[in-house]
Amino acid sequence: MERTLSLDKTLTPVLFIAYQFPPRGGPGVHRSVNFVRYLSQYGFNPIVLTVRKEDYKNADEQTDESLLATIPENIRVIRTKSYQPLTFINRMNQLRIFRLFWYFLYPIFWERTARWPFKVTKIAEEEIKANNIPIVYTSSGPFSTLFLGRRLKRRQNVCWVADLRDPFTDAYAWHFPSKLHWLLARRVEKRILAKADIIIVNTPEVKKLFLQRGIGTENRIQVITNGY
Amino acid sequence: MVTIAYSGSLDGFDPKTRKRNRNFLCRWFWTFNNDTVDASTRSGYYLIQAIKILRDKYQVKPNDIQVDWWGKIDVLNMKQVAEENLEAYFIYGGYLPKQESLNRIAKADLLLLPLERSKIPNRGTLFIPGKLYEYLNTGKPVLALCETSDCKTILEKSGLGIFAPPDNPMEIATVLLKILSKEMELSSFKANKKFIQQYSFINKTRELADIFSYCLSHNPDKSDK
């Protein structure tokens, strides 16, 4: 499902991957929607890859239809299925055995959105080829979008800019099946972020921490705070 | 009357259920989160305690002060308010669309910003809530319950910050009392507009565009795509 568009050929296209995008509401979308709104003023044309409207509702996520009006009409928005295994998770939760899957099959069930990057790779690749896109931007969380960024960089030889709206394993808000899983996630996080051309974080304190952890260098980690 | 507004997610806290120390097996093989902050300070707990002090010690009435909060407010906060018989001081609302939320913020006299305290020595919290920037844009004073952090630095430079420790109800009550008694005039807080302007999303997007341009200039083969 796509919006109509009229691309300005003088602008550099950017594949803007934001799983959380209007009509989803909540704090995670404002950064993406505002970047999309103003990027064309600075010579870039974002092509947004996100999730179908109805899938946010099916997943019981907050929605705010009024935010759709803030997206410029000429921006192309590609919407895909969310591929969240909601029925399976709900069933397993009812049987009180989801924890077993989470614990022993963590690479599959670590995030509800874990399948999305792999399912939409083909769509993203076709878009990159069709529009000669040189830059892929990923907005995380969900952190599974980092896998998509890394895949596209490797397979399509594009620049990958990874924007972390929040830190992942350093944040207190995320739960892991055990400390062992957390340590594993931490290693994977470091290895994936090492592949990004630029890592954007949203506070100077996170940059300091990432430098201490050896995740990137002074130049590769940039701070862009949120805004209004 | 002073209206204090808060918009967004607000955790709850009940000291009776504070986490117990877990044994070795639990720590390594059971649910884990990177416990680097005192999550109680990201709740309404201490503000509610402060309002209680104002009522009990200083006879502050509901028509002197109102706390209006909406969004994803944890039920523990509502429970605490009910247990302390403070319902008349609080107005609750659910999730509101962005514009409605901004309109409601615009009606407040003072904006509340509770911030988690870092448990890591010599390191502030990693987070700056997005609402801080919305608050700055209103030009209204912000009551920040926080310690040294990036967030505090921004508020200090903006000229709009009123600070109190995140977990000290008595000090929070003292600050509120100063506001109620006009010892601290809310109208005396003048926004540093030039400083705040840098946080507009138009300017933030320029920073992103600069990064894209930098990427392309350092990868000429990609810019030729």
Side-chain angles (χ1 to χ4, degrees), chain B residues 43 45 50 93 119 123 154-155 162 182 184 192 203 219:
Chain B
S43 73
Y45 180 80
K119 283 184 186 172
R123 194 178 90 190
I154 293 172
L155 271 171
I162 301 171
K182 310 270 181 194
M184 189 188 278
N192 179 347
N203 288 325
N219 295 278

Side-chain angles (χ1 to χ4, degrees), chain B residues 47-59:
Chain B
L47 178 76
I48 298 169
Q49 291 284 311
I51 299 288
K52 186 182 173 214
I53 292 170
L54 289 177
R55 180 194 64 185
D56 297 347
K57 275 196 168 179
Y58 302 100
Q59 287 74 50

